[in-house]
């Protein structure tokens, strides 16, 4: 209360009692007690009737005028003292005084009520409004009561609010204490359905904390990351075992048809809600650590997912999205394991749909290939090939359909000969699709899918022949690798060597390079090279390496075959002719090494063939003879095994960037002979050698000397580019050429 209500009441009453002639003291200076005594005396006097007769309308009006004058003065005083607080007890006393005024002088009180209602308003907060508009007695009383209530209940209201918040936290908000109770109850041997239901509701509240759009099935609330992680931890660690104990299936290895158990009716609704929430959390969580934990938990809960009708489809949809995403490797592997387990459990219902969705996701995400995205694409291809081996009849339908689509694109490119039709074939999606079907048919060679090998090989050969220029040599080698892997896995003859040796007959490959490039040009992540790159030395080097590696891999797989001498006769003739005319030392040296290996293996197989006594029509004996030769080992196969180990070792070294320290040309320290060192007998010990001892410490610094010689001899560069490539293989360029990404990314 910011008003001197007591002053207003006293001044008004003193002015009203100024009619008393006996009192010489002015009413404006009388206090409330004097005013009341005067009023009592006037009531008890013997001249009461005469005074009432003399008081008329004019006296009442005069009283009103005087009261208004006093009121203006009081209002000015109130405005000045607006910031001061008044005592609540004084206000209550003034209110009681006004009630007595109504009983003592009802005529004057009625006049004030009719002509000046503002005087009866004691609400200090509404004084500004009271100056402009009046209020009735009832309104003034209500306001006073309101002020009295607010003053008396400020502290109690605050306390009540705290109590309500505490009650709300105890009832709705999940605390760590509640989590400990959930964990204790869920670990009991005889867990109840109500405990599992409450834990599922807590999991739903955790979902709502990260996804406000999620449907609420509980009255719990989760606040803070600590409580969120705690709820997830309790569910992941204890919910699965609790449900197993409740259903009575603890100890079973293969849990099937959970929905047929007697107690499943009590678990149906909580588990339906839990599986739905688990799927939604997988969609909203981006942390790899949390995703890893949730996917491991989901892999254990697959029987529950199968038991809940209609829950498998959204779960598979989310799992396929994680499998095809750019997440961490652990997340993608766990997502695939969940897909595999869930699909096997409902193979007849979801296998065809899952294969279709996964294939489309694989093709969609293999549009661009880079060193960072290549491992993920390779993982998708291998895992999808494993999915196609689950049911060969279903896989045959998909493989036939998609290989036919690839053949249609190739036919359009051959017939239309337009840029768009060529681009529909010569792209990463098409090549990755061919790699996938090569892996699928290689994994299921002796089965129903063997009938699709011929169409696939025909499509691959057509892709190689579509644009047989040097710019598309990288694409050619990708297709050759597909055919080589398919030959090794199926043991079916495929004409791969002609496509390799055609590169040697290319005019672009035999042209002398005009540019040097220190950067390697791996063909692993490219399909086409530009025209300036065709003139670089690195292009010739990479083509030579791929000719050697692909021919060696293919011939090693055929080296123990009975038909090997007949197979390599055209290759031997072509290599001999090319080596005679080749002017590039590095290329001729590689091809000469390959030719020697082929001839050695040719002689070994030819000698073993002379010892054969069985008929060539007996395929079983031929297969047995080839197996013996493979176990015995051939020159080509032995060399390929050692070469592969060396290449893998080099790849690990390059991946870890552990080059030898000598490559950096650091100075080396020559130590003295310890026999010549004599310990000092006298004098202080020298921590550093003196100037006279510099001859004993020799620092070899070959790098500055070599740098000066290279600068002086500029014509060496022309000799390297024109005639001899041996300097590039023995010098620093060897280090660059060894960085072959194709070896360790495949």
């Amino acid at each position: 209360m910011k008003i001197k209500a007591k002053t207003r009441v006293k001044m008004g009453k003193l002015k009203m009692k100024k009619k008393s002639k006996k009192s010489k003291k002015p009413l404006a200076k009388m206090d409330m007690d004097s005013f009341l005594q005067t009023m009592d005396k006037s009531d008890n006097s013997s001249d009461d009737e005469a005074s009432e007769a003399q008081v008329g309308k004019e006296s009442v009006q005069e009283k009103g005028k005087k009261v208004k004058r006093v009121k203006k003065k009081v209002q000015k005083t109130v405005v000045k003292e607006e910031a001061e607080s008044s005592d609540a007890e004084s206000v209550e006393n003034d209110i009681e005084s006004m009630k007595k005024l109504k009983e003592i002088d009802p005529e004057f009180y009625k006049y004030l009520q009719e002509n000046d209602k503002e005087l009866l308003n004691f609400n200090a907060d509404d004084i500004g409004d009271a100056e402009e508009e009046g209020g009735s007695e009832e309104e003034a009383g209500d306001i006073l009561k309101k002020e009295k209530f607010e003053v008396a209940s400020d502290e109690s209201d605050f306390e009540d609010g705290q109590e309500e918040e505490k009650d709300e936290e105890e009832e709705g908000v999940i605390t760590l204490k509640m989590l400990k109770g959930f964990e204790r109850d869920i670990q009991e041997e005889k867990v109840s359905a109500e405990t599992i239901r409450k834990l599922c509701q807590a999991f739903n509240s955790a979902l709502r904390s990260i996804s406000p759009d999620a449907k609420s099935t509980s009255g719990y609330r989760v606040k803070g990351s600590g409580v969120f992680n705690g709820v997830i931890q309790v569910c992941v660690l204890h919910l699965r075992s609790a449900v197993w104990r409740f259903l009575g299936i603890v100890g079973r290895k293969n849990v099937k048809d959970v929905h047929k158990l007697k107690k499943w009716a009590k678990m149906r609704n909580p588990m339906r809600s839990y599986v739905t929430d688990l799927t939604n959390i997988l969609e909203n969580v981006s942390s790899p650590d949390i995703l890893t934990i949730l996917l491991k938990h989901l892999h254990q809960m697959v029987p529950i997912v199968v038991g809940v009708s209609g829950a498998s489809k959204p779960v598979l949809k989310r799992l396929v999205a994680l499998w095809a995403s750019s997440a961490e490797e652990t997340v993608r592997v766990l997502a695939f394991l969940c897909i595999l387990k869930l699909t096997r459990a409902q193979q007849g219902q979801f296998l065809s749909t899952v294969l279709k969705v996964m294939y489309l996701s694989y093709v969609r995400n293999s549009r661009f290939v880079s060193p960072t995205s290549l491992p993920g694409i390779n993982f998708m291809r291998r895992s999808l090939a494993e999915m196609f081996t689950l049911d060969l009849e279903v896989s045959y339908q998909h493989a036939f359909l998609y290989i036919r689509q690839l053949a249609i694109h190739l036919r359009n490119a051959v017939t239309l000969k337009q840029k768009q039709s060529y681009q529909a074939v010569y792209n990463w999606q098409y090549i990755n699709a061919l790699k996938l079907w090569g892996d699928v048919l290689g994994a299921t060679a002796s089965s129903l899918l063997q009938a699709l090998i011929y169409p696939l090989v025909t499509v691959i050969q057509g892709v190689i022949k579509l644009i047989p220029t040097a710019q598309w040599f990288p694409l050619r080698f990708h297709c050759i690798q597909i055919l080589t892997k398919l030959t090794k896995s199926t043991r079916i003859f495929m004409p791969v060597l002609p496509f390799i040796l055609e590169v040697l007959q290319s005019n672009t490959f035999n042209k002398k390079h005009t540019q040097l490039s220190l950067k390697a040009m791996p063909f692993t992540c490219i399909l086409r090279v530009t025209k300036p790159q065709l003139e670089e030395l690195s292009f010739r080097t990479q083509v030579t390496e791929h000719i050697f590696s692909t021919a060696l891999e293919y011939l090693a797989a055929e080296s123990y075959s009975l038909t090997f001498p007949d197979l390599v006769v055209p290759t031997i003739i072509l290599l001999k002719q090319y080596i005679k005319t080749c002017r590039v030392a590095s290329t001729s040296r590689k091809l000469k090494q390959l030719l020697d290996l082929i001839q050695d293996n040719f002689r070994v197989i030819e000698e073993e063939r002379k010892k054969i006594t069985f008929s060539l029509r007996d395929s079983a004996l031929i297969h047995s003879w080839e197996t013996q030769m493979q176990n015995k080992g051939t020159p080509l196969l032995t060399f390929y095994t050692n070469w592969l180990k060396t290449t893998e070792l080099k790849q690990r070294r390059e991946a870890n960037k552990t080059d030898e320290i000598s490559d950096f040309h650091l100075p080396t320290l020559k130590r003295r002979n310890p026999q010549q060192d004599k310990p000092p007998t006298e004098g202080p010990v020298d921590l550093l050698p003196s100037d006279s001892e510099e001859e004993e410490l020799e620092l070899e610094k070959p790098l500055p000397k070599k740098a000066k010689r290279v600068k002086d001899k500029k014509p060496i560069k022309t000799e390297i580019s024109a005639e001899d490539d041996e300097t590039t293989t023995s010098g620093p360029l060897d280090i660059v050429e060894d960085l072959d990404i194709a070896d360790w990314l495949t």
Side-chain angles (χ1 to χ4, degrees):
M1 302 288 290
K2 297 179 182 181
I3 178 174
K4 297 268 184 168
K6 188 175 182 180
T7 305
R8 290 179 59 188
V9 176
K10 290 180 179 180
M11 295 300 294
K13 292 179 180 180
L14 290 174
K15 287 295 182 179
M16 289 187 291
K17 295 303 292 182
K18 196 175 181 181
K19 64 179 180 177
S20 177
K21 296 180 180 180
K22 296 180 180 180
S23 180
K24 296 181 180 180
K25 189 176 181 179
L27 292 174
K29 298 181 180 180
M30 293 177 65
D31 55 0
M32 180 62 69
D33 298 333
S34 301
F35 176 75
L36 294 175
Q37 292 176 3
T38 306
M39 296 297 292
D40 293 337
K41 291 179 181 180
S42 61
D43 292 337
N44 298 326
S45 62
S46 59
D47 299 335
D48 192 12
E49 295 180 358
S51 61
E52 288 179 359
Q54 292 177 359
V55 176
K57 284 186 177 181
E58 295 180 359
S59 61
V60 174
Q61 292 177 357
E62 291 177 359
K63 293 179 182 179
K65 292 180 181 180
K66 292 179 181 179
V67 170
K68 288 183 179 180
R69 288 196 297 268
V70 175
K71 176 188 172 184
K72 291 182 180 179
K73 294 181 181 180
V74 173
Q75 288 178 353
K76 292 180 181 179
T77 305
V78 170
V79 172
K80 292 180 180 179
E81 299 176 356
E82 196 174 15
E84 299 179 1
S85 61
S86 62
D87 192 7
E89 295 180 358
S90 63
V91 176
E92 295 177 359
N93 295 331
D94 293 340
I95 295 171
E96 294 177 357
S97 300
M98 289 304 298
K99 291 181 180 180
K100 291 181 180 181
L101 178 63
K102 182 179 179 181
E103 297 175 357
I104 296 171
D105 195 354
E107 186 179 2
F108 180 70
Y109 188 88
K110 185 178 181 181
Y111 174 81
L112 292 178
Q113 190 175 6
E114 292 176 357
N115 296 282
D116 197 354
K117 300 178 181 179
E118 297 174 357
L119 190 61
L120 301 176
N121 189 2
F122 285 89
N123 190 0
D125 295 335
D126 298 332
I127 186 170
D129 298 335
E131 294 177 356
E132 298 178 358
E133 51 182 53
S136 62
E137 179 184 358
E138 297 178 356
E139 294 175 351
D142 294 339
I143 294 174
L144 290 172
K145 292 179 181 178
K146 181 179 179 181
E147 288 293 327
K148 180 179 179 181
F149 175 77
E150 291 178 355
V151 171
S153 62
D154 283 343
E155 188 175 357
S156 61
D157 287 346
F158 181 76
E159 293 175 355
D160 294 340
Q162 284 184 340
E163 292 178 358
E164 290 176 1
E165 289 180 359
K166 290 180 181 179
D167 295 338
E168 186 179 359
E169 288 181 357
E170 292 177 358
E171 295 177 359
V173 178
I174 297 178
T175 60
L176 296 177
K177 185 177 180 181
M178 294 176 63
L179 276 178
K180 291 181 180 179
F182 287 155
E183 187 175 4
R184 183 179 59 257
D185 296 340
I186 205 70
Q187 290 180 355
E188 294 181 356
E189 185 66 25
K190 294 183 179 180
V191 62
S192 62
E194 183 66 18
T195 303
I196 298 175
R197 185 183 64 82
K198 288 182 179 180
L199 189 58
C200 293
Q201 290 179 353
F203 191 80
N204 178 262
S205 62
L207 169 64
R208 281 189 293 146
S209 65
I210 61 173
S211 178
D213 298 335
K215 296 181 180 180
S216 175
T217 60
S218 65
Y220 294 115
R221 287 186 299 164
V222 170
K223 293 183 179 180
S225 59
V227 180
F228 175 84
N229 294 334
V231 173
I232 300 298
Q233 183 178 359
V234 173
C235 293
V236 168
L237 295 179
H238 306 295
L239 183 61
R240 184 250 184 191
S241 59
V243 175
W244 258 237
R245 278 185 274 109
F246 180 80
L247 296 176
I249 55 177
V250 179
R252 296 186 185 180
K253 295 182 179 179
N254 297 325
V255 180
K256 296 181 180 179
D257 299 332
V258 180
H259 59 282
K260 295 182 180 180
L261 299 175
K262 294 181 180 179
K263 295 184 179 181
W264 175 249
K266 296 181 180 180
M267 288 288 99
R268 183 180 292 107
N269 292 332
M271 289 299 100
R272 181 186 300 276
S273 173
Y274 182 76
V275 172
T276 304
D277 294 338
L278 183 60
T279 307
N280 292 332
I281 284 185
L282 288 174
E283 294 178 358
N284 291 279
V285 172
S286 58
S287 174
D289 297 332
I290 298 179
L291 282 175
T292 301
I293 295 172
L294 293 177
L295 288 173
K296 289 180 180 179
H297 177 58
L298 179 62
H299 189 267
Q300 296 176 348
M301 297 291 290
V302 166
I304 300 297
V305 178
V306 176
V308 177
S309 60
S312 300
K313 188 173 182 180
V315 172
L316 285 171
K317 182 179 179 181
R318 180 55 187 162
L319 290 175
V320 171
L322 289 174
W323 171 76
S325 64
S326 58
E328 289 188 357
E329 183 180 0
T330 305
V331 176
R332 302 181 71 180
V333 171
L334 288 173
F336 170 70
L337 293 177
C338 292
I339 293 172
L340 184 62
K341 187 174 181 180
L342 190 56
T343 306
R344 279 179 174 175
Q346 297 173 310
Q347 188 166 321
Q349 186 177 359
F350 291 108
L351 180 59
S352 180
T353 305
V354 169
L355 290 177
K356 180 180 179 181
V357 175
M358 292 181 71
Y359 177 77
L360 295 178
S361 300
Y362 166 73
V363 174
R364 190 182 302 111
N365 288 276
S366 62
R367 181 176 299 177
F368 304 103
V369 176
S370 63
T372 56
S373 63
L374 184 61
I377 294 174
N378 290 336
F379 164 73
M380 293 174 65
R381 185 180 71 250
R382 293 165 185 165
S383 58
L384 184 55
E386 184 177 352
M387 290 293 296
F388 275 103
T389 59
L390 294 179
D391 192 341
L392 298 181
E393 294 182 359
V394 177
S395 300
Y396 178 84
Q397 298 175 0
H398 289 276
F400 179 84
L401 176 64
Y402 294 125
I403 293 175
R404 182 175 178 272
Q405 288 182 352
L406 297 176
I408 291 173
H409 286 295
L410 179 62
R411 183 191 62 186
N412 294 335
V414 173
T415 56
L416 298 178
K417 296 182 180 180
Q418 296 178 356
K419 183 178 180 180
Q420 295 180 353
S421 60
Y422 288 147
Q423 290 177 350
V425 176
Y426 277 28
N427 59 74
W428 273 116
Q429 288 180 320
Y430 197 96
I431 299 301
N432 285 323
L434 292 177
K435 290 183 178 181
L436 171 65
W437 297 121
D439 292 347
V440 172
L441 298 183
T444 58
S446 58
S447 63
L448 182 64
L449 295 177
Q450 189 175 4
L452 298 175
I453 294 177
Y454 177 77
L456 180 64
V457 173
T458 305
V459 171
I460 295 174
Q461 292 177 352
V463 172
I464 296 174
K465 297 178 181 179
L466 184 61
I467 306 178
T469 59
Q471 285 184 315
W472 294 100
F473 277 172
L475 183 141
R476 173 187 288 263
F477 285 113
H478 284 295
C479 294
I480 290 172
Q481 288 178 353
I482 299 173
L483 294 176
T484 304
K485 291 181 179 179
L486 195 58
T487 302
K488 293 170 63 177
S489 58
T490 59
R491 302 301 304 156
I492 298 176
F493 172 74
M494 298 176 190
V496 178
L497 288 176
F499 295 110
I500 299 174
L501 299 177
E502 279 181 0
V503 178
L504 299 176
Q505 300 175 358
S506 174
N507 295 329
T508 307
F509 178 72
N510 291 321
K511 289 175 61 176
K512 297 179 181 179
H513 62 273
T514 58
Q515 295 181 4
L516 287 175
S517 58
L518 296 178
K519 293 183 179 180
M521 189 187 298
F523 293 166
T524 309
C525 299
I526 59 175
L527 297 178
R528 177 180 176 271
V529 295
T530 60
K531 291 183 179 180
Q533 289 176 339
L534 293 175
E535 300 176 357
E536 294 180 358
L537 176 62
S538 60
F539 172 75
R540 179 192 294 275
T541 305
Q542 288 296 321
V543 172
T544 304
E545 289 292 336
H546 278 77
I547 291 173
F548 180 80
S549 61
T550 53
L552 181 63
E553 183 180 4
Y554 177 78
L555 292 172
E558 299 290 337
S559 61
Y560 52 87
S561 175
L562 188 64
T563 60
F564 180 81
D566 304 324
L567 177 65
V568 297
V569 169
T571 304
I572 294 174
I573 295 173
L574 183 60
L575 287 176
K576 286 182 177 180
Q577 293 177 352
Y578 183 81
I579 291 171
K580 290 180 180 180
T581 58
C582 181
R583 297 182 179 179
V584 181
S586 59
T587 304
S588 60
R589 185 169 59 251
K590 277 282 184 182
L591 297 179
K592 184 67 169 59
Q593 184 182 10
L594 180 62
L595 178 61
D596 294 340
L597 290 170
I598 295 173
Q599 290 177 344
D600 292 342
N601 200 87
F602 178 89
R603 288 191 290 268
V604 171
I605 300 298
E606 188 69 22
E607 291 177 0
E608 294 293 333
R609 284 174 60 175
K610 295 178 181 179
K611 302 177 183 179
I612 293 176
T613 58
F614 54 84
S615 174
L616 297 178
R617 296 180 180 180
D618 194 347
S619 58
L621 292 177
I622 292 176
H623 180 71
S624 148
W625 182 86
E626 291 179 349
T627 304
Q628 290 178 1
M629 291 299 301
Q630 182 181 6
N631 297 331
K632 184 179 179 180
T634 60
L636 260 177
L637 188 60
T638 304
F639 177 83
Y640 175 74
T641 304
N642 296 330
W643 175 82
L644 193 61
K645 291 180 181 179
T646 306
T647 306
E648 290 177 353
L649 182 62
K650 182 179 66 176
Q651 292 165 2
R652 296 192 191 98
R653 185 180 70 250
E654 292 170 353
N656 296 328
K657 297 181 180 180
T658 55
D659 294 331
E660 295 181 359
I661 194 170
S662 60
D663 294 337
F664 296 96
H665 303 285
L666 296 178
T668 58
L669 180 65
K670 288 186 177 181
R671 298 183 180 275
R672 293 177 297 178
N673 190 357
Q675 296 179 357
Q676 298 177 358
D677 295 338
K678 297 180 180 180
T681 56
E682 297 179 357
V685 178
D686 293 337
L687 298 178
L688 296 175
S690 61
D691 295 337
S692 61
E693 295 175 348
E694 287 183 357
E695 297 178 357
E696 298 177 357
L697 295 173
E698 296 181 1
L699 295 177
E700 295 182 355
K701 299 181 179 179
L703 184 60
K705 295 181 180 180
K706 288 185 178 180
K708 291 181 180 180
R709 292 176 182 177
V710 171
K711 291 181 180 179
D712 295 336
K713 296 182 179 181
K714 295 182 179 179
I716 293 178
K717 293 185 178 180
T718 57
E719 296 177 1
I720 294 173
S721 61
E723 296 179 358
D724 192 8
D725 286 346
E726 292 181 356
T727 56
T728 60
T729 56
S730 60
L733 288 178
D734 264 349
I735 301 175
V736 179
E737 290 174 2
D738 288 344
L739 294 173
D740 189 6
I741 303 178
D743 295 334
W744 63 277
L745 286 179
T746 53

